[in-house]
Amino acid sequence: MKWHQATWDEPLIFEYKGKNRVGLKIPIEEELRKQVKINLPINLRRKDIDLPELSELEVIRHFIRLSQMSFGVDNGMVPLGSCTMKYNPKIEEEADNLTQNLHPLQDESTVQGILEVIYDMQRWLAEITGMELCSLQVPAGAAGELAGVLMIKKYHEIKGRKNRDEMLVADTAHGTNPASASMENFKVIYIKSNNEGLVDIDVLKEIVSERTAGFMLTNPNTLGLFEENILDIAKYIHSVDAKLYYDGANLNGILGIVRPGDMGFDIVHLNLHKTFAVPHGGGGPGAGAICAKGEMVDYLPYPLVEKKNGKYSLTYIPKYTIGKIATYYGNIGNVVRAYIYILGLGAEGISLVGKMSTLATNYLISKLKDVKGLDLIAPNRPRKHEVVFSAKTLAKETGVTANDIAKALLDRGFYAPTIYFPPNVEEALMIEPTETEPKEVLDSFAEAVRDIINLAYTNPNEVLSSPKNTAVRRLDQVIANHPSSVTPTYRVKRLREEGKIGSLK
Ligand SMILES: *Cc1c(COP(=O)(O)O)cnc(C)c1O
């Protein structure tokens, strides 16, 4: 199938020339018309706002075409590493609709159902992660990290320690880890990976001291590799009573197989968007969870739902709580979506996620690892949920970079992988296929990558001029970094300036 997206070349709704067309004519009785006549002062009335007059068909075509200029997991594979762009079952939306009439200030006796959902999720997610309790207050992964960092900070404060000012972070960590730590004035110390892509234990041993507050780590790490020395890492961190923090944004690779709690972690954050199939939603709200075990449970954000005599209430305030991380009780619609996802999978389905996402990644590796120009750290180590290739050799030999491969993939009907992350891999292409992509799609993705790389060696200019079939062609990277540059708002503004559409004044 040839891939073709709708483009900007066709007119926007503001540019339609039609007049005296209506979508739906609502009959109003003359009597009623008289009643609703409002006497607006002349100076407040808008003159000639030049709105388009359109038939229903034209409006439908406009919005359908806009939707076709976009790309999402509902129309193709989105192999963005560290993002877990799995399919979001549509039944989640039906369930979320049930929450639309709730208000957070309603009396508890009238919202027992949603409180039960939160209560179950506090415990289910704890069971999945090997923790004791989870709070669903946090509206995103990074907010979960900030909550975790605050909990670690308060823990040392309560113990009367003044000098715990160092937060250790793996050098492959997501940028939000050092950002969260430095927001609380911790000195961020990067722990280098060894040449197998794992935490260098010897480096760690030297750095851990009475100043270490905690270690923020993710396992499998950002290269998709399992930190096999995790129990030793936990031992070193705990030897100075520092806390081990698990960045569980992408839990896919171990879901239902191993649990951070059993690896020695004290605090875990989860992204319900990503692992628990909540849509990432173009800049819209996400949802997280922050989970703890042992003494750290006392520091969780409040309020938590508790159950007494068969009634649910928001009365549980942990002893040393860090307070609230957001308003009310979290992004409840997304909590419900994740709840439905977990219910739908059941215990058996959950452990299949870990197995199938790992299988998908290693299947892709088997299809790509002998491709000329692509390199892989520790090629014989199996990956979990994702894999990072380096296109450094390809770039040197052909001038075609990871960025160019990404653009050429767009032309072939795939979203691009994450590129240039993690920062310790040059020309990184970070691919996360997830468990929901069918084998045939993995095959054609691998085929597309091979095709692009062959072309790089035979006709590099062909790759460098991609994408050609997308709504937006190759952008000026500098201008494109300004978010307003490619949006309809910007285009409308320009059209107004050029006098092609009316002004609202
Ligand atoms: C996505 C991600 C985060 C941040 O999550 P947000 O919800 O975007 O704030 C943190 N860590 C890792 C590893 C991630 O992939």
Side-chain angles (χ1 to χ4, degrees):
M1 181 186 72
K2 183 133 175 42
W3 174 251
H4 180 79
Q5 273 189 310
T7 71
W8 287 110
D9 303 339
E10 291 147 76
L12 280 176
I13 200 159
F14 301 92
E15 301 165 271
Y16 280 81
K17 290 289 174 263
K19 283 282 171 208
N20 301 320
R21 293 180 199 172
V22 281
L24 183 65
K25 194 161 188 168
I26 302 167
I28 300 183
E29 285 170 25
E30 211 37 51
E31 224 10 69
L32 198 60
R33 195 187 293 277
K34 277 182 203 144
Q35 284 173 32
V36 296
K37 200 160 187 183
I38 302 166
N39 257 333
L40 265 187
I42 296 280
N43 62 337
L44 291 182
R45 289 189 205 169
R46 286 194 202 166
K47 283 176 285 279
D48 186 24
I49 55 173
D50 200 19
L51 287 178
E53 293 170 41
L54 303 163
S55 66
E56 183 173 318
L57 174 65
E58 287 169 306
V59 175
I60 289 291
R61 284 194 179 150
H62 169 75
F63 285 107
I64 295 293
R65 200 159 47 76
L66 280 189
S67 77
Q68 289 170 339
M69 288 181 190
S70 190
F71 190 94
V73 80
D74 287 348
N75 51 344
M77 180 183 181
V78 181
L80 274 176
S82 201
C83 292
T84 318
M85 301 298 289
K86 63 174 73 176
Y87 173 65
N88 313 130
K90 299 300 170 256
I91 191 172
E92 293 176 11
E93 301 309 308
E94 295 287 323
D96 169 55
N97 282 341
L98 298 174
T99 68
Q100 299 301 317
N101 294 326
L102 295 175
H103 193 280
L105 296 179
Q106 247 171 284
D107 188 90
E108 279 175 358
S109 66
T110 65
V111 288
Q112 287 293 301
I114 195 70
L115 292 182
E116 184 178 345
V117 168
I118 302 176
Y119 180 80
D120 285 347
M121 285 292 272
Q122 286 175 180
R123 291 157 54 245
W124 290 355
L125 295 175
E127 191 182 330
I128 288 171
T129 52
M131 297 281 121
E132 279 165 45
L133 194 61
C134 298
S135 161
L136 293 147
Q137 257 258 308
V138 293
E145 286 172 34
L146 181 65
V149 166
L150 283 164
M151 287 162 68
I152 294 173
K153 188 176 176 180
K154 191 152 182 188
Y155 173 78
H156 293 299
E157 275 169 14
I158 297 272
K159 297 251 157 166
R161 298 170 183 154
K162 299 248 177 314
N163 58 346
R164 293 281 177 154
D165 58 349
E166 293 180 352
M167 188 65 78
L168 313 186
V169 173
D171 66 350
T172 51
H174 197 268
T176 47
N177 289 189
S180 306
S182 60
M183 273 179 80
E184 286 311 309
N185 292 324
F186 281 109
K187 211 168 107 195
V188 173
I189 305 212
Y190 284 101
I191 304 295
K192 251 180 82 67
S193 309
N194 60 23
N195 50 17
E196 287 286 280
L198 302 175
V199 167
D200 193 322
I201 292 277
D202 295 328
V203 171
L204 183 72
K205 262 195 253 178
E206 257 173 49
I207 287 177
V208 169
S209 76
E210 294 291 323
R211 292 182 65 180
T212 309
F215 186 13
M216 301 177 83
L217 190 61
T218 178
N219 193 20
N221 67 25
T222 308
L223 296 172
L225 292 165
F226 193 81
E227 297 282 353
E228 54 194 17
N229 296 317
I230 189 61
L231 295 176
D232 285 337
I233 293 173
K235 205 172 71 196
Y236 291 125
I237 296 300
H238 291 151
S239 70
V240 292
D241 196 27
K243 295 297 169 193
L244 196 55
Y245 180 92
Y246 189 95
D247 178 342
N250 324 102
L251 205 67
N252 246 18
I254 58 164
L255 205 59
I257 311 288
V258 264
R259 309 186 308 167
D262 302 332
M263 298 178 205
F265 285 89
D266 305 291
I267 307 176
V268 174
H269 93 254
L270 299 173
N271 280 28
L272 303 189
H273 53 293
K274 302 188 184 174
T275 308
F276 295 94
V278 171
H280 292 227
I290 179 82
C291 311
K293 75 169 206 245
E295 307 171 271
M296 296 319 290
V297 172
D298 285 342
Y299 295 82
L300 283 171
Y302 85 101
L304 291 145
V305 177
E306 60 186 340
K307 185 179 179 184
K308 275 190 197 142
N309 308 323
K311 290 224 161 53
Y312 299 93
S313 64
L314 281 154
T315 41
Y316 180 5
I317 303 179
K319 191 167 165 200
Y320 302 121
T321 181
I322 54 162
K324 285 192 171 192
I325 266 296
T327 51
Y328 302 118
Y329 326 115
N331 281 334
I332 214 64
N334 284 345
V335 173
V336 171
R337 287 182 174 98
Y339 176 84
I340 291 297
Y341 177 70
I342 294 175
L343 264 187
L345 287 178
E348 247 174 62
I350 292 256
S351 66
L352 264 185
V353 172
K355 288 179 191 150
M356 294 304 287
S357 61
T358 300
L359 181 62
T361 308
N362 290 288
Y363 179 68
L364 256 188
I365 294 172
S366 75
K367 295 241 140 186
L368 290 176
K369 81 179 194 181
D370 61 338
V371 174
K372 192 179 166 202
L374 280 191
D375 302 309
L376 193 57
I377 291 187
N380 296 322
R381 262 179 199 275
R383 262 48 177 189
K384 295 284 181 272
H385 59 300
E386 65 194 1
V387 57
V388 183
F389 285 95
S390 166
K392 188 176 153 193
T393 308
L394 181 80
K396 213 184 301 163
E397 290 175 358
T398 68
V400 168
T401 63
N403 183 42
D404 300 320
I405 296 175
K407 303 282 183 201
L409 277 167
L410 303 182
D411 263 347
R412 288 159 176 80
F414 297 97
Y415 200 82
T418 297
I419 52 173
Y420 302 108
F421 179 79
N424 62 336
V425 177
E426 274 182 72
E427 292 295 333
L429 282 160
M430 185 189 212
I431 304 170
E432 181 177 2
T434 84
E435 73 285 4
T436 57
E437 289 304 330
K439 176 179 172 291
E440 293 76 11
V441 175
L442 300 179
D443 287 338
S444 30
F445 177 78
E447 204 45 52
V449 173
R450 279 178 176 277
D451 178 42
I452 293 162
I453 290 176
N454 280 340
L455 208 53
Y457 281 103
T458 52
N459 185 2
N461 284 337
E462 190 57 29
V463 182
L464 296 175
S465 57
S466 295
K468 294 185 190 118
N469 305 327
T470 48
V472 175
R473 306 290 150 75
R474 194 170 275 239
L475 299 167
D476 179 315
Q477 301 270 346
V478 179
I479 297 174
N481 266 313
H482 194 281
S484 69
S485 62
V486 289
T487 60
T489 334
Y490 175 79
R491 176 134 181 245
V492 170
K493 184 165 166 268
R494 213 183 54 214
L495 289 170
R496 283 217 178 91
E497 282 163 6
E498 291 168 5
K500 294 198 177 131
I501 52 174
S503 142
L504 288 179
K505 268 187 267 149

mmCIF file of all heavy atoms in Angstrom, residues 81-83 139-143 145 173-177 218 222 247-250 269 271 273-274 280 286-287 421, ligand 1:
data_model
loop_
_atom_site.group_PDB
_atom_site.id
_atom_site.type_symbol
_atom_site.label_atom_id
_atom_site.label_comp_id
_atom_site.label_asym_id
_atom_site.label_seq_id
_atom_site.Cartn_x
_atom_site.Cartn_y
_atom_site.Cartn_z
ATOM 1 N N GLY A 81 11.024 4.678 21.376
ATOM 2 C CA GLY A 81 11.624 4.089 22.572
ATOM 3 C C GLY A 81 11.396 4.955 23.783
ATOM 4 O O GLY A 81 11.330 6.186 23.690
ATOM 5 N N SER A 82 11.258 4.317 24.941
ATOM 6 C CA SER A 82 11.047 4.986 26.219
ATOM 7 C C SER A 82 9.685 5.686 26.272
ATOM 8 O O SER A 82 9.474 6.555 27.110
ATOM 9 C CB SER A 82 12.172 5.992 26.525
ATOM 10 O OG SER A 82 12.211 6.259 27.909
ATOM 11 N N CYS A 83 8.782 5.330 25.368
ATOM 12 C CA CYS A 83 7.446 5.952 25.361
ATOM 13 C C CYS A 83 6.324 4.926 25.449
ATOM 14 O O CYS A 83 5.198 5.273 25.786
ATOM 15 C CB CYS A 83 7.250 6.796 24.114
ATOM 16 S SG CYS A 83 8.291 8.248 24.092
ATOM 17 N N PRO A 139 0.135 13.407 38.540
ATOM 18 C CA PRO A 139 -0.451 13.515 37.210
ATOM 19 C C PRO A 139 0.468 13.105 36.059
ATOM 20 O O PRO A 139 0.075 13.196 34.909
ATOM 21 C CB PRO A 139 -0.791 15.006 37.116
ATOM 22 C CG PRO A 139 0.191 15.674 37.997
ATOM 23 C CD PRO A 139 0.526 14.711 39.097
ATOM 24 N N ALA A 140 1.687 12.664 36.338
ATOM 25 C CA ALA A 140 2.595 12.261 35.258
ATOM 26 C C ALA A 140 3.788 11.544 35.858
ATOM 27 O O ALA A 140 3.935 11.483 37.081
ATOM 28 C CB ALA A 140 3.073 13.479 34.480
ATOM 29 N N GLY A 141 4.643 11.024 34.974
ATOM 30 C CA GLY A 141 5.853 10.352 35.430
ATOM 31 C C GLY A 141 6.768 11.294 36.185
ATOM 32 O O GLY A 141 7.221 11.006 37.300
ATOM 33 N N ALA A 142 7.039 12.453 35.574
ATOM 34 C CA ALA A 142 7.968 13.389 36.198
ATOM 35 C C ALA A 142 7.438 13.863 37.551
ATOM 36 O O ALA A 142 8.210 14.086 38.491
ATOM 37 C CB ALA A 142 8.215 14.583 35.272
ATOM 38 N N ALA A 143 6.122 13.996 37.673
ATOM 39 C CA ALA A 143 5.536 14.401 38.953
ATOM 40 C C ALA A 143 5.724 13.290 39.978
ATOM 41 O O ALA A 143 5.918 13.556 41.175
ATOM 42 C CB ALA A 143 4.052 14.718 38.777
ATOM 43 N N GLU A 145 8.304 11.274 39.993
ATOM 44 C CA GLU A 145 9.713 11.382 40.393
ATOM 45 C C GLU A 145 9.904 12.477 41.433
ATOM 46 O O GLU A 145 10.613 12.291 42.417
ATOM 47 C CB GLU A 145 10.583 11.726 39.187
ATOM 48 C CG GLU A 145 10.794 10.579 38.248
ATOM 49 C CD GLU A 145 11.498 11.054 36.991
ATOM 50 O OE1 GLU A 145 12.333 11.976 37.075
ATOM 51 O OE2 GLU A 145 11.190 10.517 35.917
ATOM 52 N N ALA A 173 19.869 7.508 32.269
ATOM 53 C CA ALA A 173 18.544 7.857 32.801
ATOM 54 C C ALA A 173 17.795 8.847 31.919
ATOM 55 O O ALA A 173 18.388 9.644 31.195
ATOM 56 C CB ALA A 173 18.673 8.450 34.197
ATOM 57 N N HIS A 174 16.482 8.786 32.004
ATOM 58 C CA HIS A 174 15.611 9.772 31.375
ATOM 59 C C HIS A 174 15.940 11.140 31.980
ATOM 60 O O HIS A 174 16.223 11.235 33.174
ATOM 61 C CB HIS A 174 14.161 9.391 31.695
ATOM 62 C CG HIS A 174 13.159 10.050 30.827
ATOM 63 N ND1 HIS A 174 12.567 11.240 31.156
ATOM 64 C CD2 HIS A 174 12.632 9.683 29.641
ATOM 65 C CE1 HIS A 174 11.721 11.579 30.195
ATOM 66 N NE2 HIS A 174 11.734 10.648 29.273
ATOM 67 N N GLY A 175 15.887 12.194 31.163
ATOM 68 C CA GLY A 175 16.271 13.525 31.622
ATOM 69 C C GLY A 175 15.481 14.028 32.818
ATOM 70 O O GLY A 175 15.948 14.893 33.565
ATOM 71 N N THR A 176 14.266 13.465 32.996
ATOM 72 C CA THR A 176 13.463 13.918 34.129
ATOM 73 C C THR A 176 14.077 13.506 35.474
ATOM 74 O O THR A 176 13.796 14.142 36.483
ATOM 75 C CB THR A 176 12.031 13.352 34.045
ATOM 76 O OG1 THR A 176 12.121 11.965 33.757
ATOM 77 C CG2 THR A 176 11.221 14.046 32.975
ATOM 78 N N ASN A 177 14.928 12.441 35.493
ATOM 79 C CA ASN A 177 15.529 12.009 36.765
ATOM 80 C C ASN A 177 16.440 13.097 37.343
ATOM 81 O O ASN A 177 16.191 13.579 38.454
ATOM 82 C CB ASN A 177 16.316 10.700 36.612
ATOM 83 C CG ASN A 177 15.442 9.462 36.381
ATOM 84 O OD1 ASN A 177 15.916 8.341 36.400
ATOM 85 N ND2 ASN A 177 14.156 9.652 36.136
ATOM 86 N N THR A 218 16.577 2.634 36.587
ATOM 87 C CA THR A 218 15.470 1.890 36.002
ATOM 88 C C THR A 218 16.005 0.547 35.525
ATOM 89 O O THR A 218 17.150 0.451 35.106
ATOM 90 C CB THR A 218 14.765 2.710 34.886
ATOM 91 O OG1 THR A 218 13.726 1.921 34.337
ATOM 92 C CG2 THR A 218 15.697 3.135 33.799
ATOM 93 N N THR A 222 17.636 1.986 30.273
ATOM 94 C CA THR A 222 17.172 2.665 29.074
ATOM 95 C C THR A 222 17.688 2.014 27.787
ATOM 96 O O THR A 222 17.152 2.224 26.711
ATOM 97 C CB THR A 222 17.570 4.148 29.160
ATOM 98 O OG1 THR A 222 17.089 4.615 30.425
ATOM 99 C CG2 THR A 222 16.949 4.988 28.100
ATOM 100 N N ASP A 247 12.566 4.151 38.428
ATOM 101 C CA ASP A 247 11.818 4.879 37.403
ATOM 102 C C ASP A 247 11.043 3.841 36.588
ATOM 103 O O ASP A 247 11.579 3.183 35.705
ATOM 104 C CB ASP A 247 12.801 5.656 36.523
ATOM 105 C CG ASP A 247 12.098 6.403 35.392
ATOM 106 O OD1 ASP A 247 10.939 6.062 35.077
ATOM 107 O OD2 ASP A 247 12.721 7.303 34.812
ATOM 108 N N GLY A 248 9.767 3.699 36.925
ATOM 109 C CA GLY A 248 8.955 2.643 36.296
ATOM 110 C C GLY A 248 8.045 3.148 35.192
ATOM 111 O O GLY A 248 6.975 2.576 34.952
ATOM 112 N N ALA A 249 8.487 4.226 34.511
ATOM 113 C CA ALA A 249 7.662 4.757 33.418
ATOM 114 C C ALA A 249 7.342 3.665 32.408
ATOM 115 O O ALA A 249 6.216 3.520 31.953
ATOM 116 C CB ALA A 249 8.373 5.918 32.745
ATOM 117 N N ASN A 250 8.374 2.908 32.049
ATOM 118 C CA ASN A 250 8.198 1.830 31.080
ATOM 119 C C ASN A 250 8.412 0.507 31.787
ATOM 120 O O ASN A 250 9.502 -0.011 31.848
ATOM 121 C CB ASN A 250 9.209 1.939 29.934
ATOM 122 C CG ASN A 250 9.507 3.363 29.536
ATOM 123 O OD1 ASN A 250 10.538 3.914 29.904
ATOM 124 N ND2 ASN A 250 8.599 3.971 28.805
ATOM 125 N N HIS A 269 7.938 4.876 40.709
ATOM 126 C CA HIS A 269 6.838 5.598 40.058
ATOM 127 C C HIS A 269 6.456 4.848 38.795
ATOM 128 O O HIS A 269 7.278 4.161 38.182
ATOM 129 C CB HIS A 269 7.182 7.070 39.770
ATOM 130 C CG HIS A 269 7.745 7.333 38.404
ATOM 131 N ND1 HIS A 269 9.063 7.619 38.185
ATOM 132 C CD2 HIS A 269 7.156 7.352 37.184
ATOM 133 C CE1 HIS A 269 9.274 7.804 36.894
ATOM 134 N NE2 HIS A 269 8.137 7.630 36.255
ATOM 135 N N ASN A 271 4.123 5.185 35.015
ATOM 136 C CA ASN A 271 3.334 6.004 34.097
ATOM 137 C C ASN A 271 2.136 5.161 33.678
ATOM 138 O O ASN A 271 2.316 4.110 33.079
ATOM 139 C CB ASN A 271 4.141 6.365 32.852
ATOM 140 C CG ASN A 271 5.086 7.517 33.083
ATOM 141 O OD1 ASN A 271 5.537 7.739 34.202
ATOM 142 N ND2 ASN A 271 5.386 8.254 32.043
ATOM 143 N N HIS A 273 -0.098 6.286 31.538
ATOM 144 C CA HIS A 273 0.086 6.409 30.097
ATOM 145 C C HIS A 273 1.436 5.722 29.896
ATOM 146 O O HIS A 273 2.281 5.758 30.776
ATOM 147 C CB HIS A 273 0.115 7.883 29.657
ATOM 148 C CG HIS A 273 1.088 8.749 30.394
ATOM 149 N ND1 HIS A 273 0.954 9.055 31.726
ATOM 150 C CD2 HIS A 273 2.251 9.326 30.019
ATOM 151 C CE1 HIS A 273 1.966 9.815 32.113
ATOM 152 N NE2 HIS A 273 2.768 9.989 31.100
ATOM 153 N N LYS A 274 1.666 5.089 28.824
ATOM 154 C CA LYS A 274 2.763 4.145 28.570
ATOM 155 C C LYS A 274 2.324 2.761 29.033
ATOM 156 O O LYS A 274 1.441 2.172 28.435
ATOM 157 C CB LYS A 274 4.091 4.532 29.233
ATOM 158 C CG LYS A 274 4.614 5.913 28.815
ATOM 159 C CD LYS A 274 6.012 6.199 29.315
ATOM 160 C CE LYS A 274 6.426 7.608 28.939
ATOM 161 N NZ LYS A 274 7.688 8.023 29.482
ATOM 162 N N HIS A 280 -1.439 8.742 25.440
ATOM 163 C CA HIS A 280 -0.572 9.860 25.825
ATOM 164 C C HIS A 280 -1.253 11.194 25.533
ATOM 165 O O HIS A 280 -0.936 12.187 26.139
ATOM 166 C CB HIS A 280 0.760 9.798 25.073
ATOM 167 C CG HIS A 280 1.619 8.647 25.480
ATOM 168 N ND1 HIS A 280 2.948 8.796 25.750
ATOM 169 C CD2 HIS A 280 1.354 7.348 25.667
ATOM 170 C CE1 HIS A 280 3.465 7.620 26.080
ATOM 171 N NE2 HIS A 280 2.509 6.724 26.024
ATOM 172 N N GLY A 286 -1.556 13.145 31.582
ATOM 173 C CA GLY A 286 -1.154 11.757 31.750
ATOM 174 C C GLY A 286 -1.678 11.314 33.101
ATOM 175 O O GLY A 286 -2.635 11.878 33.623
ATOM 176 N N ALA A 287 -1.045 10.298 33.645
ATOM 177 C CA ALA A 287 -1.370 9.884 35.014
ATOM 178 C C ALA A 287 -0.224 9.030 35.501
ATOM 179 O O ALA A 287 0.402 8.307 34.723
ATOM 180 C CB ALA A 287 -2.667 9.103 35.067
ATOM 181 N N PHE A 421 18.736 9.679 21.780
ATOM 182 C CA PHE A 421 18.548 9.375 23.193
ATOM 183 C C PHE A 421 18.648 7.862 23.339
ATOM 184 O O PHE A 421 18.111 7.152 22.485
ATOM 185 C CB PHE A 421 17.172 9.876 23.689
ATOM 186 C CG PHE A 421 16.925 9.566 25.139
ATOM 187 C CD1 PHE A 421 17.506 10.346 26.135
ATOM 188 C CD2 PHE A 421 16.164 8.474 25.512
ATOM 189 C CE1 PHE A 421 17.314 10.047 27.473
ATOM 190 C CE2 PHE A 421 15.971 8.169 26.854
ATOM 191 C CZ PHE A 421 16.544 8.958 27.834
HETATM 192 C C1 LIG B 1 8.355 9.120 29.912
HETATM 193 C C2 LIG B 1 9.374 8.882 30.958
HETATM 194 C C3 LIG B 1 9.428 9.694 32.099
HETATM 195 C C4 LIG B 1 8.578 10.939 32.293
HETATM 196 O O1 LIG B 1 7.205 10.714 32.272
HETATM 197 P P1 LIG B 1 6.186 11.929 31.987
HETATM 198 O O2 LIG B 1 4.836 11.355 32.231
HETATM 199 O O3 LIG B 1 6.418 12.321 30.564
HETATM 200 O O4 LIG B 1 6.509 13.035 32.924
HETATM 201 C C5 LIG B 1 10.356 9.369 33.059
HETATM 202 N N1 LIG B 1 11.198 8.322 32.911
HETATM 203 C C6 LIG B 1 11.173 7.533 31.815
HETATM 204 C C7 LIG B 1 12.126 6.382 31.701
HETATM 205 C C8 LIG B 1 10.261 7.782 30.800
HETATM 206 O O5 LIG B 1 10.252 7.020 29.702
#
